[in-house]
Amino acid sequence: MPSENPGRTPVRVLRRAVSVFGRGRVAFVRGWTHPRLKWPKRLAAGAAVLLVVPVLTAGVSLRLQYAGDPAPGTRTRERDAVWLGHAWVDGRNGEAQLAELVQRMRGTGIRDLYVHAGPLEHDGGLPAARYPKARWLVEAVRRELPGVRVQAWLGDVLSTEGKTGLDLGERATRERVVRSARQVLDAGFAGVHFDLEPLHSGDRDYLSLLDDVHAVTRAHRAPLSVAAHQIDPLPSLHSVAGFVAGHPKWWSQSYFGAVARRVDQIAVMSYDTAMPMESLYGGYVAQQTRLALEATPRGTDLLMGLPAFHTDDIGHHESAETVAAAVRGARLGLSREDARRERFGVALYVDFAATPGDWAAYRRGWGAPKSD
């Protein structure tokens, strides 16, 4: 657990705030009770209080979510996955890279490889020229890693927030996506994995697409899996985010469940959270794990994403969003909600950015046998 300055923890700050309120004075902003303070300044000070208190409360809540110890046995169920880049099917990776991948994966619980075979065209089509080495990869994995499945990762930018992109509202587009799914299965892939973004909560066209594609994958006895947005940490937060920023980042829990009921496997993209501290990020993953477990049918595999990439921007702080914190958060959420859930795992994103340290953190925190 990361160390923190004991004099500046969210808990201490909140306790100080509560004690001040208890004396009948609001002292978050110096001078609040000054008799000559003008109304504009009072309003500004009040607004600051209204902003600070919820943030502090949320921070304390997430920090508490990260406290405690995971339950014994909350280890890999051998249903884990890793996202693999396009180099595996366009000819850039060969036998040497395959040997390295096999070495990393042996002794872990990874069962699925989501290999980028797209992107889809904006009309839903998929040129076969985008994955010329697919057959080589499928046969090599079958030979070197028996039991591991190679799924075709199909993605594209949706037109939900811009003028261009794939439009799921067009029936002809959805039909071409279905044909693309059938196409990759005929090419030898063992399953279909969708990552279509930004996908707004409540999108009925997406649900219709999943119904149609699932009919195809069932006929091929292949899994259908999806990369899923995070779940509202607060009720209707996606609606507020959509109104304010035009980008409703989260899905409602009910919509998450509607998606999960239509697939065999759902992987939460539990990263890019903007959390500034490892303990807060781990608590957020624990919360997301609990919410996802509540919504996911027991017959659907639920996977929590691990941030095995190292960009550093406003949405992702490398020092906070670590594989170790995500694994521990997932274990804590699983422990509290359904420690015996078998159809549960984690998924590393992404192979070409993952470091030896990321793989070691996965193995150390999650990849051991179930018996601790």
Side-chain angles (χ1 to χ4, degrees):
M1 189 177 299
S3 61
E4 296 176 356
N5 183 339
R8 294 297 298 273
T9 62
V11 173
R12 289 175 179 265
V13 173
L14 189 60
R15 284 175 180 168
R16 172 61 180 162
V18 171
S19 68
V20 172
F21 269 106
R23 293 197 298 268
R25 297 181 63 199
V26 181
F28 278 112
V29 179
R30 185 176 298 170
W32 171 269
T33 59
H34 196 285
R36 288 178 294 179
L37 189 64
K38 301 300 182 182
W39 273 110
K41 291 184 178 180
R42 293 187 185 186
L43 291 175
V49 171
L50 292 176
L51 289 173
V52 168
V53 170
V55 170
L56 288 176
T57 302
V60 171
S61 175
L62 292 179
R63 185 63 184 82
L64 292 175
Q65 293 274 352
Y66 199 54
D69 297 317
T74 52
R75 298 285 188 173
T76 182
R77 278 83 163 122
E78 299 184 349
R79 294 175 180 271
D80 305 330
V82 58
W83 280 277
L84 301 183
H86 201 79
W88 289 101
V89 293
D90 68 3
R92 284 176 287 165
N93 285 351
E95 295 294 340
Q97 290 79 14
L98 177 67
E100 293 176 2
L101 179 66
V102 169
Q103 184 65 29
R104 291 191 193 100
M105 288 181 52
R106 281 198 171 133
T108 70
I110 292 175
R111 182 180 65 165
D112 286 293
L113 308 180
Y114 303 141
V115 183
H116 191 263
L120 295 166
E121 296 285 290
H122 288 343
D123 68 358
L126 179 64
R130 290 193 176 153
Y131 50 89
K133 298 284 288 185
R135 186 72 63 177
W136 165 80
L137 178 64
V138 170
E139 292 176 356
V141 170
R142 186 179 296 128
R143 179 183 69 247
E144 300 293 337
L145 296 166
V148 174
R149 303 179 298 192
V150 181
Q151 298 195 41
W153 167 10
L154 303 179
D156 193 18
V157 175
L158 297 179
S159 61
T160 48
E161 296 176 13
K163 295 180 180 180
T164 61
L166 191 149
D167 184 359
L168 293 179
E170 294 287 340
R171 182 174 180 177
T173 298
R174 296 199 305 273
E175 289 174 348
R176 278 188 286 270
V177 174
V178 174
R179 288 198 293 271
S180 295
R182 184 180 292 109
Q183 177 182 315
V184 293
L185 294 174
D186 291 341
F189 286 99
V192 176
H193 176 79
F194 283 128
D195 179 13
L196 302 174
E197 304 177 49
L199 185 58
H200 294 181
S201 184
D203 191 320
R204 304 299 303 178
D205 295 317
Y206 183 59
L207 300 182
S208 177
L209 173 67
L210 294 179
D211 288 337
D212 293 341
V213 175
H214 209 180
V216 172
T217 56
R218 276 196 297 263
H220 283 74
R221 297 185 178 180
L224 170 61
S225 67
V226 296
H229 287 32
Q230 297 157 31
I231 300 173
D232 275 345
L234 297 172
S236 300
L237 187 58
H238 69 280
S239 299
V240 175
F243 177 78
V244 174
H247 175 61
K249 173 182 174 66
W250 299 274
W251 285 353
S252 71
Q253 191 180 38
S254 62
Y255 186 70
F256 186 97
V259 173
R261 288 192 296 273
R262 288 167 165 81
V263 299
D264 303 296
Q265 195 176 64
I266 186 165
V268 184
M269 296 181 285
S270 40
Y271 34 77
D272 291 333
T273 65
M275 292 294 166
M277 298 169 57
E278 196 173 22
S279 58
L280 298 183
Y281 172 65
Y284 182 83
V285 174
Q287 180 193 60
Q288 286 291 306
T289 301
R290 178 181 59 80
L291 293 171
L293 283 167
E294 289 176 350
T296 304
R298 301 191 72 84
T300 300
D301 288 349
L302 170 64
L303 281 66
M304 301 304 296
L306 307 181
F309 61 99
H310 298 274
T311 56
D312 211 339
D313 53 35
I314 192 171
H316 173 78
H317 299 293
E318 180 183 358
S319 62
E321 292 193 10
T322 65
V323 170
V327 168
R328 188 170 187 276
R331 290 187 67 193
L332 287 167
L334 179 64
S335 300
R336 293 163 184 158
E337 183 62 30
D338 192 353
R340 296 184 179 181
R341 177 82 67 108
E342 280 299 314
R343 304 195 71 153
F344 184 87
V346 297
L348 288 94
Y349 180 88
V350 57
D351 76 303
F352 56 80
T355 65
D358 293 328
W359 283 97
Y362 159 67
R363 285 175 174 271
R364 184 170 55 249
W366 178 254
K370 286 187 291 183
S371 55
D372 282 338

